[in-house]
């Protein structure tokens, strides 16, 4: 007996109703069983079917010049998989045999017409459960079929029989749930419990793969920096994301009405050191409190009940008076107490400043950020966008009415070098710097005022990663709807692979109201820890509410190129 | 190894509003950005799953404002208007576009009424408008030249004006046989500065006025489209420029006028003009008029095909490259003494072209003969004696 055989192999058309759902509008799926003797279709015992692995589309895109040896791969995407099945179709009569053959033709037409009009909205997918040897049974896995070609050869036999070659073009990867299934079903497979209609709520409860809360500020409990009081990220453990292909996800955020959110994913670990705890490695966050920075020209600290806590456990803002109104460096990150070691970061990050102009008109003050090594002159470093801070209603008072200002994109490492060089230092390291203290990266905020008397108030500098997957979700209705949702599992699109966003009218009811997204969307990298960083803001005026806490619910559908590497009893 | 999905977000036509309509991933994305103008052109394909969806595009989205995104959700890589839509369905291509649309028409003619004016005077008909079309797409004007009108009577020029308006007030469509890939919708996009080509400016004056004052006090306020496509009342990006200029006589488009003003330079440097990207704080776009940026922002190496890098050698994503910066090729003419003459390793980038399929960004400097024809078509002031078209052939001695 071969180590690999097929315990189940079916072509299925439709989204299966959830067990116990008596109100479903889904019809039972149409199933063509390819290995059941009673179905009339049997895989050829020798050349039946073996799954293929996707190959690179068109060989990839390369940078190739005759001036250099070799060539560089720029882009490589995996394409659809084409596989061939050889089946024997038979029947008790010619009519019975033709009915079976025609069911295959119908499947092919359904696969080609899926979502090409509003009539055929049922996904057609391959359902496979491998087995092998005596004791091994694999998990069920599914792949959406885009096209089928069926070539029959009418066999010369006494009983009605057709030898058919079925060529299938399917999506590149295997999904561990059927097309169009609720991603919460995976959670119940994950915990080896039965899935039924009482468990389908994607927006409430704790029975989800990941639940958590993030804050739109980030504050440490004290100046030892060993624990975060609030954090703008959630963590998905490596063990929660099986498979070998990026997992699709369903994300629900308990945001308030009118809130937009920026989300970025990062898998590379970010760490830094703290001198106050003897060079202990502390958890990285990507927010630098302005009051912990190094003050520049005309910059002072002022108490502000609407500011986030700094490392001295005090709520303070940085205030720039513009006594010298020309372009001057006003604030430098990291300061003595800041913990972001920028030179440890890898990737591209959106840079945001939460700030406001206290009075006057937008345009009175201009500001920009430079980043690099040892920024002493105005031309040093890499300069980001020149922007004008808004003048929100908060004015000069203690108020959480900060505005979110997009400053540009910072990219790390700055140069070509990629390694974190160990200089062999054994002495304690200043907080916020690398072991090689001469190579610390700085962010410097420059600002000038051309007219008026407005001051610049600054709360913090925020980085959001964008290169591993990112997006913003913006509700179209900015006043009455909250609770943003993102789904790329195909659940909300009835099996069609697509990104959708919406905001729900109320908890527990995922009714779709209009929202839209920008950016490429997010999938989770398997077998590594994934962190999602969030930043919420008011869509209408870019304002931030200090300390706003948002609950998060996350479910996934794992995927793989070949066999599933995890079997569930319930799966 | 992957590149981020490129996507397009489609919003209302600017004359109607700013609401979001839909988002789609795109294929075969390309864009061009120029120092003179800003976002220039872009194109992409959208795979639609049905005839209905393709026809929806033809029917609903011409003239809509779009933003194109790659990996950064906070900043689009290109933005502008949908200028032309082609839907390939089987053997047929349906195209609808704004190029031939004109919802404001005037006709100029040379008047030779002996009894009235004598020979050589120019007249212009009154303006004819289709306000319904203008209420959807904004004002798009054409001015026709009737030529020599012997009897001086405006009836014929008026008839021409009215005929053009009646037939071209709305977007023009065409059908051709033998289309491309079926069920692909191709969008051809134009940058916002092209809307300055949609109106003609009539400014006659013998006074001399500083360029920036002329732009802010006279030219921009007279724009019929007002704040529809950009904020024509925000002059924060218009630099002071003391060069004096006189007014124009015959009609030019607003863009021709502004481009010529920029090409005057300041006797030492090029100046450029265009429309900025949408400010994420203010939510508006403005006209910029400023001296070119001669700072070196990018480096490149001949040995890897001139992939763009920052000053410190780090590769940067090709979709983020912008013109109005200088690129320095670091591995040619090593040891070159820049004190002798202008450094040939440095090129001011006038135009960049990005192609998502090849992940290449190509840039053009000042002396690119392959682009000479295209440049001269786009310039306000053209040199005497040069030819359009292909590069001049060099013959051996």
């Amino acid at each position: 007996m071969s180590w690999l055989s097929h315990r189940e192999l079916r072509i299925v058309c439709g989204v299966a109703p959830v067990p116990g759902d008596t109100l479903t509008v889904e019809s039972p799926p149409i199933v063509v069983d390819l290995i059941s003797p009673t179905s009339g279709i049997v895989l050829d015992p020798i050349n039946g079917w073996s799954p293929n692995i996707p190959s690179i589309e068109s060989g990839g895109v390369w940078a190739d010049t005759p001036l250099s040896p070799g060539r560089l791969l720029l882009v490589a995407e995996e394409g659809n998989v084409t596989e061939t099945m050889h089946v024997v179709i038979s029947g008790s009569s010619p009519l019975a045999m033709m009915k079976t053959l025609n069911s295959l033709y119908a499947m092919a037409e359904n696969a080609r017409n899926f979502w090409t009009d509003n009539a055929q909205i049922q996904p057609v997918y391959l359902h496979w459960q491998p087995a092998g040897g005596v004791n091994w049974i694999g998990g069920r896995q599914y792949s959406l079929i885009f096209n089928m070609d069926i070539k029959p050869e009418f066999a010369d036999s006494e009983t009605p029989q057709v030898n058919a070659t079925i060529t299938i073009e399917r999506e590149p990867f295997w999904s561990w749930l059927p097309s169009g299934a609720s991603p919460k079903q995976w959670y119940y497979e994950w915990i080896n419990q039965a899935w039924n209609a009482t468990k389908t709520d994607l927006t409430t409860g704790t029975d989800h793969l990941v639940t958590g809360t993030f804050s739109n500020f980030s504050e440490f409990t004290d100046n030892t920096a060993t624990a975060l009081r609030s954090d703008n990220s959630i963590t998905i453990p490596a063990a929660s994301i099986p498979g070998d292909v990026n997992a699709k996800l369903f994300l629900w955020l308990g945001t308030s009405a009118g809130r937009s959110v920026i989300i970025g994913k990062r898998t590379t670990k970010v760490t830094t050191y703290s001198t106050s705890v003897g060079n202990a490695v502390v958890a990285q966050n990507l927010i630098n409190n302005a009051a912990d920075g190094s003050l520049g020209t005309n910059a002072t600290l002022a108490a502000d009940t609407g500011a986030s806590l700094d490392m001295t456990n005090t709520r303070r803002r940085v205030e720039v008076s513009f006594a010298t109104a020309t372009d001057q460096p006003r604030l430098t990150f990291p300061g003595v107490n800041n913990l972001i070691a920028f030179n440890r970061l890898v990737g591209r990050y959106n840079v945001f400043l939460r700030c406001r102009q206290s009075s006057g008109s937008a345009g009175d003050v201009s500001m920009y950020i430079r980043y690099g090594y040892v920024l002493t002159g105005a031309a040093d470093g890499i300069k980001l966008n020149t922007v004008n801070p808004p003048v929100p209603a908060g004015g000069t008072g203690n108020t959480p009415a900060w505005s979110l200002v997009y400053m540009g994109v910072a990219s790390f490492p700055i140069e070509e070098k990629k390694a974190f060089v160990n200089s062999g230092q054994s002495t304690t390291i200043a907080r916020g710097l690398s072991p090689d203290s001469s190579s610390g990266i700085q962010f410097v905020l420059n600002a000038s005022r051309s007219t008026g008397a407005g001051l610049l108030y600054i709360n913090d500098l925020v980085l959001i990663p964008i290169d591993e997957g990112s997006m913003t979700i913006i509700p179209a209705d900015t006043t009455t709807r909250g609770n943003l949702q993102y789904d790329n599992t195909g659940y909300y699109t009835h099996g069609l692979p697509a990104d959708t966003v919406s905001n729900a009218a109320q908890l527990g009811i995922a009714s779709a109201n209009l929202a839209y997204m920008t950016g490429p969307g997010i999938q989770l990298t398997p077998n590594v820890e994934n962190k999602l960083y969030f930043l919420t803001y008011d869509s209408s005026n870019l304002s931030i509410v200090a300390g706003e806490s948002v609950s998060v619910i996350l479910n996934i559908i794992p995927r793989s190129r070949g066999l599933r590497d995890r079997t569930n009893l319930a799966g | 190894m992957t590149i981020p999905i490129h996507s397009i977000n489609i919003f209302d036509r600017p004359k109607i509003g700013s609401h979001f309509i839909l988002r789609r991933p795109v294929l075969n994305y390309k864009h061009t950005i120029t120092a003179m103008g800003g976002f220039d052109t872009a194109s992409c394909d959208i795979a639609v799953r049905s005839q209905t969806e393709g026809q929806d595009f033809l029917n609903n989205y011409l003239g809509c404002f779009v933003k194109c995104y790659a990996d950064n959700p906070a900043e689009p890589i290109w933005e502008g208007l949908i200028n032309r839509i082609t839907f390939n369905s089987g053997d047929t291509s349906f195209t609808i576009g704004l190029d031939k649309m004109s919802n404001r028409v005037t006709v100029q003619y040379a008047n030779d009424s002996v009894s009235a004016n004598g020979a050589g005077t120019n007249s212009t008909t009154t303006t004819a408008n289709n306000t319904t079309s203008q209420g959807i797409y904004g004002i798009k004007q054409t001015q026709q030249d009737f030529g020599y009108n012997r009897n001086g009577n405006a009836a014929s020029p008026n008839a021409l004006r009215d005929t053009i308006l009646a037939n071209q007030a709305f977007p023009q469509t065409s059908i051709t046989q033998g289309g491309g890939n079926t069920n692909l919708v191709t969008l051809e996009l134009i940058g916002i500065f092209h809307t300055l080509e949609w109106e003609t400016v009539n400014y006659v004056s013998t006074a001399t006025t500083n360029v920036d004052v002329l732009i802010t006090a006279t030219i921009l306020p007279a724009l019929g489209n007002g704040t529809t496509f950009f904020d024509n009342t925000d002059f924060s990006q218009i630099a002071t420029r003391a060069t004096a200029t006189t007014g124009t006589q015959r009609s030019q488009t607003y863009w021709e006028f502004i481009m010529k003003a920029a090409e005057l330079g300041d006797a030492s440097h090029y100046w450029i003009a265009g429309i900025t990207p949408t400010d994420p704080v203010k939510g508006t776009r403005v006209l910029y008029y400023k001296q070119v940026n001669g700072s070196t922002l990018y480096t490149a190496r001949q040995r890897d095909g001139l992939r763009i890098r920052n000053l410190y050698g780090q590769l940067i994503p090709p979709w983020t490259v912008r013109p109005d910066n200088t690129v320095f090729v670091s591995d040619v003419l090593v040891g070159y003494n820049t004190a002798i003459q202008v450094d040939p390793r440095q090129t001011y980038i006038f135009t960049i072209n990005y192609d998502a399929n090849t992940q290449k960004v190509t840039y053009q400097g000042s002396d690119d003969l392959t682009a000479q024809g295209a440049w001269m078509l786009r310039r306000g002031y053209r040199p005497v004696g040069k030819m359009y078209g292909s590069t001049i052939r060099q013959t051996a001695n």
Side-chain angles (χ1 to χ4, degrees), chain A residues 61 65 68 72-77 114-116 348 350 406 409 411 413-416 470 516-520, chain B residues 1-3 9 20 23 49-50 70-75 301 303 307 309-310 312-314 317 357-359:
Chain A
V61 176
T65 167
S68 296
L72 284 171
L73 181 62
L74 299 179
V75 178
E77 289 283 3
F114 177 45
W115 273 116
T116 59
R348 281 159 52 78
N350 274 348
Y406 170 67
V409 175
S411 198
I414 293 179
E415 331 103 307
E416 273 191 283
S470 62
Y516 68 95
M517 63 177 280
T518 65
Chain B
M1 180 180 308
T2 62
I3 59 168
N9 281 28
F20 167 80
R23 170 187 179 269
R49 298 191 68 82
S50 66
D71 64 339
N72 184 356
E75 187 174 3
R301 297 169 191 169
R303 63 178 181 269
R307 295 171 75 193
R309 299 168 181 269
N310 70 7
Y312 312 105
Q314 184 203 51
N357 284 357
T358 59
Q359 280 298 286

Side-chain angles (χ1 to χ4, degrees), chain A residues 5-277:
Chain A
S5 60
H6 311 304
R7 188 166 189 263
E8 295 174 358
L9 185 63
R10 305 167 189 159
I11 299 176
V12 181
C13 177
V15 176
V18 178
D21 185 357
T22 57
L23 299 176
T24 184
V25 297
E26 300 285 0
S27 304
I30 302 167
V31 179
V32 173
D33 196 320
L34 297 174
I35 57 174
S36 165
T38 59
S39 70
I41 304 179
V42 179
L43 272 182
D44 182 289
I46 298 175
N47 298 317
W49 173 74
S50 285
N52 279 343
I53 302 295
S55 53
I56 303 301
E57 281 191 291
S58 304
V61 176
W62 297 81
D64 195 0
T65 167
L67 299 179
S68 296
R71 58 176 187 168
L72 284 171
L73 181 62
L74 299 179
V75 178
E77 289 283 3
E78 287 158 299
N80 286 349
V81 171
T82 301
E83 292 161 342
T84 306
M85 291 182 179
H86 299 279
V87 297
V88 177
I89 304 170
S90 58
S92 57
S93 67
L95 192 63
M97 184 206 69
M98 287 311 299
K99 274 183 100 169
T100 304
L101 182 58
N102 288 347
S103 69
L104 278 178
Y105 291 143
M107 277 297 188
E109 184 174 356
N110 285 338
R112 292 184 204 118
N113 291 341
F114 177 45
W115 273 116
T116 59
D117 55 34
N118 292 326
Q120 204 320 70
I121 62 168
Q122 304 297 338
V124 176
Y125 54 91
L126 197 60
H127 163 135
W128 180 42
Q129 184 177 32
V134 177
N135 297 318
W136 178 66
I137 299 175
R140 293 191 177 99
Q141 50 196 78
Y142 312 86
S143 187
L144 188 67
I145 296 174
F146 294 119
N147 190 23
M148 288 168 62
D149 274 322
I150 299 152
K151 287 202 171 76
E153 278 184 27
F154 291 85
D156 184 15
S157 66
E158 290 184 5
T159 55
Q161 182 173 306
V162 167
N163 301 325
T165 301
I166 306 172
T167 305
I168 290 177
E169 181 171 345
R170 60 172 178 85
E171 61 177 338
F173 311 120
W174 293 97
S175 178
W176 294 9
L177 284 183
S179 296
S182 166
K184 197 169 174 189
Q185 181 179 340
W186 170 254
Y187 172 71
Y188 277 88
E189 286 200 23
W190 179 254
I191 60 173
N192 285 337
Q193 290 184 16
W195 163 251
N196 60 53
T198 63
K199 300 168 181 174
T200 57
D201 189 348
L202 279 163
T203 65
T204 60
T206 57
D207 55 335
H208 303 278
L209 189 72
V210 173
T211 58
T213 306
F214 72 85
S215 170
N216 68 348
F217 278 177
S218 184
E219 301 163 325
F220 289 93
T221 53
D222 54 36
N223 65 351
T224 62
T226 52
L228 285 165
R229 178 199 302 271
S230 56
D231 189 5
N232 74 322
S233 71
I234 63 162
T235 302
I236 303 102
S240 295
I241 317 171
D244 59 276
V245 178
N246 282 353
K248 300 280 186 86
L249 80 148
F250 180 96
L251 189 64
W252 178 90
L253 304 173
T255 49
S256 302
R259 291 287 187 270
S260 297
V261 65
I262 301 164
I263 310 172
K265 172 192 140 189
R266 175 58 74 220
T267 57
T268 49
K269 267 209 189 286
V270 180
T271 57
T272 189
Y273 292 77
S274 169
T275 54
S276 62
V277 286

Side-chain angles (χ1 to χ4, degrees), chain A residues 305-503:
Chain A
T305 56
S308 46
L309 288 169
D310 62 25
M311 292 293 284
T312 65
N313 242 347
T314 312
R315 296 192 184 278
R316 296 184 291 185
R317 63 172 182 253
V318 168
E319 195 170 290
V320 178
S321 66
F322 295 107
T324 305
T326 54
D327 184 15
Q328 300 288 329
R330 307 291 180 176
L331 185 61
T332 298
F333 301 92
V336 173
N337 291 322
N338 284 148
L339 282 185
I340 295 185
F342 296 110
N343 50 304
R344 280 197 170 70
L345 297 177
V346 174
R348 281 159 52 78
Y349 293 78
N350 274 348
V351 180
F352 295 96
L353 206 65
R354 284 192 282 214
C355 61
R356 67 175 182 268
Q357 184 178 314
S358 64
S359 63
S361 304
D364 293 351
V365 172
S366 293
M367 58 185 189
Y368 60 89
I369 281 178
R370 294 176 291 126
Y371 75 102
Y373 300 110
V374 192
L375 304 176
T376 52
D380 292 340
I382 298 172
K383 185 179 173 184
L384 301 184
N385 304 341
T386 300
V387 298
N388 308 115
V391 188
T396 58
N398 288 316
T399 168
W402 300 102
S403 288
L404 185 69
V405 181
Y406 170 67
M407 305 300 291
V409 175
S411 198
F412 306 96
I414 293 179
E415 331 103 307
E416 273 191 283
K417 73 177 183 186
K418 301 285 190 278
F420 299 129
V421 178
N422 185 345
S423 68
Q425 279 187 313
S426 60
T427 55
T428 55
I429 305 151
R431 189 180 291 166
L433 296 178
S434 73
D436 179 359
S437 61
S438 66
S439 62
I441 290 178
Q442 296 177 322
F443 276 58
V444 174
L445 174 70
N446 273 56
S448 61
R449 187 177 67 194
S450 59
T451 185
L455 309 181
L456 178 62
Y457 293 174
I458 308 160
N459 186 67
D460 52 13
L461 177 82
V462 185
L463 303 183
I464 298 289
I466 61 171
D467 55 318
E468 289 194 57
S470 62
M471 60 187 181
T472 62
I473 307 176
I474 301 162
D477 183 335
T478 59
T479 56
T480 62
R481 305 292 188 211
N483 304 328
L484 300 173
Q485 302 173 72
Y486 168 69
D487 174 48
N488 64 12
T489 65
Y491 177 50
Y492 274 175
T493 53
H494 210 255
L496 185 70
D499 294 281
T500 62
V501 292
S502 58
N503 56 330

